[in-house]
Amino acid sequence: MGELLKNARLSLGLSQKEMAAEVMSVTQYSRIENDQQRIRFDDLVKILHAHQIDIVSFINQFLLRRKLTDCNHDYYLQKIESMYWERDLSSIDELLDKLKQFGQHGLLNLLTKLLIVNVKDSLDCPMAQQCRQELCQRLLAVDKWTDNNNLLILFAYGVFILDSKHLDYFAKQLKLPTYKSGLVP
């Protein structure tokens, strides 16, 4: 729900404060948009109504995404992993297009982009920079990301694009040893 609200807000060119429309605090709205908190249905209706967003279309879009995510999440994770090990870039690109077409879950979308960057071995491309930023944002947005299997999978596939500062920070959260000054045991 949060991603749909964010997309609607961005398409309208609104700030989070404007989107919250005096229905809730900006902090609460931000947590909802970042999928850290659920929104009450009556608050959702008030926000959509305040911005003249068609409620039926919005709910249908949510249900389509949820169906695709809930039913096929594990399937897509397995498919992505298989494509990665086969280094099948054309299939990975097709999957990314399919995920975009259906407005797929952001986690699978980011994971697919990370695999494209890895397979192409292009750490300096704009997609790699975007993935690095999005990966850090996702991990930093959740208090205990280390307790979330999906975020751990994402971290594992994205570790290669992180700089040493971020690797050190996330390794501490995972309680992994960190190595200073390039010394490796």
Side-chain angles (χ1 to χ4, degrees):
M1 184 65 66
E3 190 174 338
L4 279 176
L5 280 168
K6 181 178 183 178
N7 291 341
R9 177 179 64 80
L10 293 175
S11 71
L12 294 170
L14 300 174
S15 68
Q16 287 186 339
K17 182 178 181 177
E18 293 167 324
M19 189 69 168
E22 298 182 16
V23 173
M24 62 186 61
S25 71
V26 178
T27 304
Q28 184 180 8
Y29 177 80
S30 179
R31 286 193 306 260
I32 291 167
E33 202 174 87
N34 289 309
D35 290 324
Q36 296 172 340
Q37 178 179 328
R38 292 179 185 254
I39 188 170
R40 293 181 357 185
F41 185 74
D42 58 325
D43 289 340
L44 174 65
V45 171
K46 289 175 187 175
I47 288 173
L48 296 176
H49 181 71
H51 301 292
Q52 300 174 348
I53 298 170
D54 181 51
I55 296 168
V56 174
S57 295
F58 189 89
I59 298 298
N60 283 338
Q61 191 176 9
F62 170 74
L63 293 173
L64 176 64
R65 284 182 180 207
R66 185 171 182 179
K67 180 180 177 189
L68 186 60
T69 301
D70 290 350
C71 295
N72 299 323
H73 186 267
D74 291 338
Y75 165 77
Y76 280 116
L77 276 177
Q78 291 173 351
K79 191 171 181 81
I80 289 168
E81 186 173 341
S82 172
M83 289 177 202
Y84 170 75
W85 289 112
E86 293 171 9
R87 311 302 264 184
D88 186 354
L89 188 57
S90 63
S91 292
I92 294 172
D93 282 333
E94 287 175 23
L95 179 60
L96 183 59
D97 289 341
K98 184 175 183 178
L99 294 174
K100 285 179 185 175
Q101 175 187 356
F102 288 108
Q104 181 51 286
H105 191 271
L107 179 107
L108 292 176
N109 199 341
L110 177 57
L111 181 58
T112 306
K113 288 189 273 187
L114 282 168
L115 296 181
I116 290 171
V117 170
N118 192 317
V119 169
K120 287 184 176 179
D121 196 25
S122 55
L123 294 177
D124 295 327
C125 72
M127 184 184 281
Q129 294 169 5
Q130 176 191 6
C131 287
R132 185 178 306 115
Q133 181 180 6
E134 190 176 338
L135 175 62
C136 289
Q137 286 174 344
R138 282 183 177 274
L139 296 178
L140 293 171
V142 178
D143 287 335
K144 293 186 178 184
W145 68 270
T146 57
D147 294 340
N148 182 313
N149 286 339
N150 288 332
L151 291 177
L152 286 169
I153 291 168
L154 194 61
F155 175 74
Y157 277 100
V159 72
F160 74 97
I161 65 166
L162 296 173
D163 58 32
S164 59
K165 177 181 83 170
H166 287 107
L167 278 174
D168 189 48
Y169 176 80
F170 293 126
K172 285 178 184 174
Q173 290 184 331
L174 286 168
K175 297 181 175 54
L176 296 175
T178 57
Y179 304 102
K180 301 291 182 196
S181 305
L183 298 175
V184 179

